[in-house]
Amino acid sequence: MNQLILCADDFAFSTEDSLVIAELLRSGKLNATSCMTLRPNWREDSAMLRDLNATVQIGLHLTLTEEAPIRPNGFTQGGVMPGIDPLTRMAARGQLDAGEIRREVEAQFERFEDAMGRPPAFVDGHQHSHALPGIRPIVLEITRRRAPDAWLRTCEDRVSALLGRPWRGKAIGSAYHSRGLTRAAEAVSLRCNRGFAGHYGFDGRFAEALPRFFDRAGPRHLVMCHPGAGRRPGDAIAAARRDEADVLRGVSVSDMAAQSGLAFAA
């Protein structure tokens, strides 16, 4: 059977969000989470991820946007890194300093390893920034060296699958920005997920969207989600985090997955 990886992004976005994600992991509603190790609460929050079921995958959510970096860099303004749109433009124009990107990615890996005592099971990026030109080869090289058994997130998928799920425009855009990532990963002996979903409008309709994310699944089908407490000031998707958490608490993910021919190990 095709495998479902249901991953909560943004662990350590706040301690309150981490508590919700840890609860959902322990109750079998999720089987993966990716961690923002640059957050000041990461080290303390990481204790919540110990002694989980062996099937749970803990990954690194490389963060190069909208947060304070671990290492000072030239593209930080007002103490935080830029949003994804400015970062994408800088990457496309070759305006990012490779040395600065490398130092920050290395530092986030180091913080993961220091807290967890092992490399991440997988690597992805906040707002998928890990797939941007100029950033992608650095992420691939460091992952191959520091976590050779890890897999990387790609938003690539078959066109028929992208068109058959909700929020198709955003899904196609993300797939376009990830194009070639699977091939590049395989060239350095790394793997990627095969099948990706999770885009919707953060509009209170997660219950409607969730089963659609399992449609037209790939062999190692990754679905991202963002459950949490939704209490951090300035969080643009705070209400959606609360809604997603409530929906996941009330459903049997394994049953929903099975209905779509997916095995869900949690």
Side-chain angles (χ1 to χ4, degrees):
M1 293 179 70
N2 290 349
Q3 304 296 310
L4 171 64
I5 305 165
L6 183 56
C7 178
D9 287 4
D10 301 347
F11 185 89
F13 184 73
S14 76
T15 294
E16 292 81 5
D17 292 308
S18 296
L19 284 164
V20 171
I21 292 171
E23 167 211 331
L24 294 169
L25 289 166
R26 293 184 184 282
S27 60
K29 306 295 185 175
L30 303 165
N31 60 359
T33 190
S34 54
C35 306
M36 303 175 80
T37 65
L38 51 47
R39 293 287 300 149
N41 49 292
W42 154 247
R43 179 81 188 197
E44 181 176 300
D45 290 7
S46 68
M48 303 178 200
L49 301 177
R50 297 183 189 131
D51 303 319
L52 292 173
N53 190 311
T55 58
V56 172
Q57 300 187 62
I58 310 299
L60 173 59
H61 199 51
L62 287 170
T63 303
L64 299 169
T65 60
E66 300 181 350
E67 296 285 348
I70 299 172
R71 301 282 184 261
N73 61 60
F75 59 93
T76 296
Q77 295 184 349
V80 299
M81 291 178 284
I84 188 61
D85 290 340
L87 186 72
T88 299
R89 289 193 291 272
M90 285 188 282
R93 295 168 183 165
Q95 294 174 338
L96 294 173
D97 185 306
E100 292 179 340
I101 297 296
R102 179 177 296 279
R103 284 191 293 273
E104 185 62 28
V105 171
E106 294 273 17
Q108 293 184 29
F109 264 89
E110 287 168 7
R111 283 201 178 175
F112 185 99
E113 294 162 2
D114 288 347
M116 300 301 297
R118 63 180 186 271
F122 62 93
V123 177
D124 59 32
H126 191 49
Q127 299 173 320
H128 312 305
S129 57
H130 68 298
L132 292 175
I135 297 175
R136 179 187 300 191
I138 293 170
V139 172
L140 287 169
E141 188 276 321
I142 293 174
T143 301
R144 183 190 59 79
R145 175 166 44 83
R146 302 189 74 126
D149 295 326
W151 53 271
L152 286 96
R153 175 183 296 184
T154 181
C155 302
E156 296 166 294
D157 209 338
R158 294 159 296 144
V159 173
S160 60
L162 295 169
L163 294 176
R165 304 193 198 106
W167 217 250
R168 62 185 65 174
K170 182 68 172 176
I172 291 171
S174 293
Y176 176 80
H177 287 295
S178 285
R179 68 194 185 281
L181 181 53
T182 298
R183 185 171 61 252
E186 290 174 347
V188 293
S189 302
L190 293 170
R191 299 168 296 133
C192 289
N193 52 289
R194 295 179 61 193
F196 178 78
H199 287 298
Y200 76 112
F202 296 118
D203 52 6
R205 294 190 288 178
F206 184 71
E208 176 185 337
L210 180 59
R212 298 284 309 282
F213 295 152
F214 304 157
D215 291 346
R216 299 170 173 82
R220 297 184 71 250
H221 190 61
L222 172 62
V223 175
M224 67 174 178
C225 58
H226 299 80
R231 296 177 190 163
R232 181 177 162 186
D235 181 7
I237 62 168
R241 292 188 199 276
R242 295 190 293 270
D243 177 54
E244 292 188 28
D246 288 342
V247 170
L248 289 169
R249 288 183 182 111
V251 300
S252 170
V253 175
S254 57
D255 287 349
M256 293 176 67
Q259 290 170 10
S260 296
L262 287 164
F264 177 69

